[in-house]
Amino acid sequence: MSTFAVGDEDFLLDGRPVRLLSGALHYFRVHEEQWGHRLEMLRAMGLNCVETYVPWNLYEPEPGRYGDVGALGRFLDAVERAGMWAIVRPGPYICAEWENGGLPHWLTGRLGRRVRTDDAEYMEHVERWFRALLPQVVARQIDRGGPVIMVQVENEYGSFGSDQGYLRRVADLLLDCGVGVPLFTSDGPEDHMLTGGSVPGVLATANFGSGAREAFAALRRHRPSGPLMCMEFWCGWFDHWGTERSVRDAEDASATLREILECGASVNLYMAHGGTNFAGWAGANRDGALHEGELRPTVTSYDYDAPVDEAGLPTEKYWRFREVLAAFADGPLPEVPGPPRRIAAPAAGTPTEWAPLGEVLEALGDEEVAAPVPPTFEELGVDRGVVRYRVGIPGPRQPYPLSVSGLRDRATVFVDGAWAGVLTTEDAVLPEPVAGPAVVELWVESLGRVNYGPRQGEMKGVTGGVRHERQYVHGVRARGLRLDAFEAGAVGKVPFRPVAGDGARPGLYRAVVEVAGPGDAALSLPGAGRGFVWVNGFCLGRYWDVGPQDALFVPGPVLREGRNEVWVLELEGGAARVVLA
């Protein structure tokens, strides 16, 4: 058994000064069978610690109903086997470019701006969640023979608010749940962030990507003593759909890492290995002044231009970082492990079966809801997926523009069964007027809930109404199609039919790809538009032809020798070839 403490100048392991050389690896973004390899890669780069968030919404889809919270414990056990320490950041809010910043949709939908404050109802949910989760952490603290050395209080709260009572409540709740290792906060190195996000008596750390000396000087103005740590050294960045790929020069990043360490500080590389936003869990941002502008959904890959890339391979940044970290390591670094097994040969298949969206909804959808105005995703209990809104335009009446107010985020529209266009929040008027009577269907997709900034927690779906000319059209039928509904037994009930013609129509496609020698692969869909894809029932996430991502990472454990079944839920275009390479 050991002890870990925060001293006046250093972190202390059994009373001796120690420097934390940490790297962020989110276990929920990596296939469990590949945790060991990724941890070995971090250890060989020169790290002695790994940091992870915990996404609340992944584990509590409904109040009081929990998923596999034991996954965190299994990951921490893997960290121990790798000979590393662990830093856990349980939130309740995590940002992380993750859907809704990790907060459940049912929570923000009900409480709105009351989340992340000292609100009694909000804190009741937080306490229930922490008491379900934290036994996984408490049992693995370093003083109990485990790897956990620190736990974070909330996350970058100074970028959001100033409710000191809330932060104190979260810190006290962690202690009451049995957390005995040091607590810490992390914020940007600006006065208002450090003032808003720090807790008296709790270690404060800073997050930044450059200017280490200036950042630590700002931190020292607020905390004259205690060890210095950059809890998030942004050595890369994430990407949004429809933008250029973010890349940071390896030499520039390694120079900043060296500067951090020359300041005598500890560091956590964000990210050391990014992984993948499987199953549509990617979040979104708002651009513009004060983050109130256009929605920027995050891509499925969370490669992050990290030193260990999405497929677990070392990059040029990895080798430069290894050179820097070797000078601060206790002894020689381990050998770099070999690459994960790659698919033996490229393979491809063409979808042979298809079902239209309406029939997929009949087989897999939730119960239909009738309401005077369109219910939101949150009111329907839909976290990730699509909702079909059906409205009747009364008649007879002449053609008028049809528009949607408060659309979030994207709608494929059919009028009397015929495709009529795609609407977005910024362009929410159909190109052609609609005459009555007519039946209008809007298949609305959430592109990811905002994970950072004042627009976090905003509703999804049709949050205003459907208008014909200036008149609201009342009487709406809404039905959700959740991504979680796509599992083998349920998909087997979809009435597929042979693909006919060019197959250029929305719907669910099914293909078989024969693989010889399974391993990691990249899946591409030449000719497809936008939607989601599954391999052997495992949801790889969203694809979209706007780039910059043009292929999805397939973990080797998902593939099988021989026959592999692929489902493609295409929302705007049509069938495509499925290529594994």
Side-chain angles (χ1 to χ4, degrees):
M1 305 295 179
S2 296
T3 61
F4 184 84
V6 173
D8 291 338
E9 297 181 356
D10 302 292
F11 292 113
L12 302 173
L13 178 68
D14 294 330
R16 298 187 303 274
V18 64
R19 188 198 300 258
L20 300 183
L21 303 174
S22 180
L25 188 164
H26 301 157
Y27 68 96
F28 47 91
R29 284 179 158 130
V30 178
H31 194 285
E32 184 165 351
E33 292 184 32
Q34 298 182 324
W35 288 346
H37 173 267
R38 304 304 194 262
L39 289 167
E40 288 178 10
M41 289 292 293
L42 268 57
R43 189 75 185 92
M45 186 167 55
L47 302 180
N48 57 23
C49 184
V50 64
E51 170 268 309
T52 189
Y53 282 123
V54 184
W56 182 0
N57 52 6
L58 181 64
Y59 297 115
E60 194 175 3
E62 299 173 2
R65 181 168 73 86
Y66 297 106
D68 183 18
V69 294
L72 173 61
R74 296 194 300 275
F75 176 71
L76 295 174
D77 292 341
V79 172
E80 183 179 14
R81 289 193 296 272
M84 303 177 77
W85 298 311
I87 296 171
V88 181
R89 305 167 82 182
Y93 161 82
I94 63 170
C95 184
E97 290 70 60
W98 188 259
E99 160 85 7
N100 215 22
L103 296 175
H105 71 284
W106 50 261
L107 181 69
T108 55
R110 174 176 173 79
L111 299 183
R113 67 184 187 278
R114 291 157 56 193
V115 301
R116 303 185 74 191
T117 70
D118 194 8
D119 174 83
E121 185 176 354
Y122 170 68
M123 287 305 303
E124 180 181 339
H125 291 295
V126 172
E127 179 170 357
R128 184 185 65 247
W129 162 236
F130 273 10
R131 294 201 183 279
L133 172 72
L134 289 175
Q136 301 293 327
V137 178
V138 171
R140 294 168 174 86
Q141 295 178 117
I142 193 167
D143 59 353
R144 301 191 184 190
V148 178
I149 56 172
M150 288 202 297
V151 173
Q152 181 171 269
V153 179
E154 238 271 356
N155 183 63
E156 291 187 316
Y157 189 73
S159 297
F160 174 78
S162 59
D163 190 338
Q164 288 292 304
Y166 164 61
L167 288 181
R168 186 73 262 172
R169 282 277 299 277
V170 173
D172 289 345
L173 179 57
L174 289 168
L175 298 174
D176 191 61
C177 288
V179 175
V181 294
L183 302 178
F184 70 94
T185 58
S186 66
D187 289 283
E190 299 183 30
D191 289 334
H192 71 285
M193 294 179 180
L194 289 165
T195 301
S198 300
V199 180
V202 173
L203 175 70
T205 65
N207 301 340
F208 54 84
S210 59
R213 289 179 174 83
E214 294 81 359
F216 288 136
L219 183 58
R220 275 288 180 245
R221 289 198 299 271
H222 291 259
R223 294 296 169 88
S225 64
L228 292 173
M229 183 164 187
C230 176
M231 188 53 67
E232 291 185 15
F233 165 43
W234 302 319
C235 56
W237 206 246
F238 54 93
D239 296 326
H240 292 136
W241 289 112
T243 64
E244 295 295 320
R245 180 138 193 271
S246 298
V247 177
R248 181 172 184 180
D249 178 73
E251 289 296 336
D252 174 66
S254 62
T256 300
L257 174 59
R258 183 178 290 107
E259 181 186 1
I260 292 170
L261 298 176
E262 288 175 348
C263 290
S266 292
V267 68
N268 179 52
L269 309 179
Y270 194 99
M271 298 290 295
H273 170 59
T276 308
N277 293 310
F278 296 119
W281 283 109
N285 295 96
R286 292 279 182 183
D287 67 2
L290 301 179
H291 304 282
E292 295 279 4
E294 183 178 352
L295 187 78
R296 298 292 189 191
T298 302
V299 302
T300 297
S301 171
Y302 201 63
D303 177 83
Y304 213 88
D305 191 30
V308 180
D309 74 9
E310 185 178 15
L313 302 177
T315 66
E316 178 64 21
K317 196 175 289 182
Y318 182 93
W319 301 113
R320 299 288 77 76
F321 281 14
R322 193 171 190 261
E323 292 173 0
V324 173
L325 292 166
F328 296 88
D330 295 328
L333 300 185
E335 291 294 319
V336 177
R341 183 179 180 183
R342 195 75 185 178
I343 190 172
T350 300
T352 58
E353 296 179 295
W354 167 81
L357 289 175
E359 294 183 17
V360 177
L361 183 65
E362 287 297 321
L364 304 179
D366 298 336
E367 291 295 320
E368 190 168 65
V369 172
V373 297
T376 65
F377 276 45
E378 289 72 20
E379 290 166 333
L380 293 168
V382 176
D383 55 357
R384 294 153 296 122
V386 297
V387 170
R388 184 192 68 185
Y389 295 93
R390 179 180 283 170
V391 297
I393 306 298
R397 60 171 66 186
Q398 66 186 64
Y400 287 121
L402 186 132
S403 63
V404 180
S405 62
L407 174 61
R408 300 188 187 131
D409 297 308
R410 193 174 179 92
T412 303
V413 185
F414 299 84
V415 177
D416 290 332
W419 186 88
V422 175
L423 304 181
T424 65
T425 302
E426 294 75 27
D427 186 8
V429 182
L430 275 184
E432 298 294 330
V434 176
V439 175
V440 176
E441 289 186 359
L442 303 100
W443 290 79
V444 179
E445 179 190 358
S446 164
L447 297 176
R449 289 180 176 83
V450 172
N451 53 260
Y452 178 83
R455 295 286 290 273
Q456 187 203 348
E458 64 184 11
M459 301 285 194
K460 292 296 185 180
V462 178
T463 65
V466 179
R467 291 191 299 209
H468 196 225
E469 205 256 350
R470 285 164 291 183
Q471 183 188 73
Y472 282 107
V473 182
H474 291 108
V476 180
R477 305 189 73 85
R479 192 171 186 183
L481 180 61
R482 293 173 292 106
L483 294 188
D484 286 346
F486 288 80
E487 54 88 25
V491 171
K493 300 176 183 178
V494 173
F496 287 100
R497 65 201 66 176
V499 173
D502 62 4
R505 68 196 81 175
L508 182 64
Y509 292 83
R510 186 158 62 179
V512 171
V513 180
E514 295 283 343
V515 171
D520 290 351
L523 183 147
S524 57
L525 298 162
R530 181 180 56 87
F532 298 89
V533 61
W534 291 255
V535 174
N536 296 325
F538 183 90
C539 186
L540 299 181
R542 177 182 283 111
Y543 65 89
W544 198 351
D545 61 3
V546 297
Q549 183 175 358
D550 56 10
L552 300 179
F553 175 66
V554 185
V558 170
L559 290 173
R560 306 167 184 154
E561 182 80 23
R563 178 188 172 93
N564 292 265
E565 187 167 296
V566 180
W567 309 328
V568 180
L569 181 66
E570 172 61 50
L571 298 172
E572 290 187 14
R577 293 181 68 233
V578 178
V579 179
L580 293 172

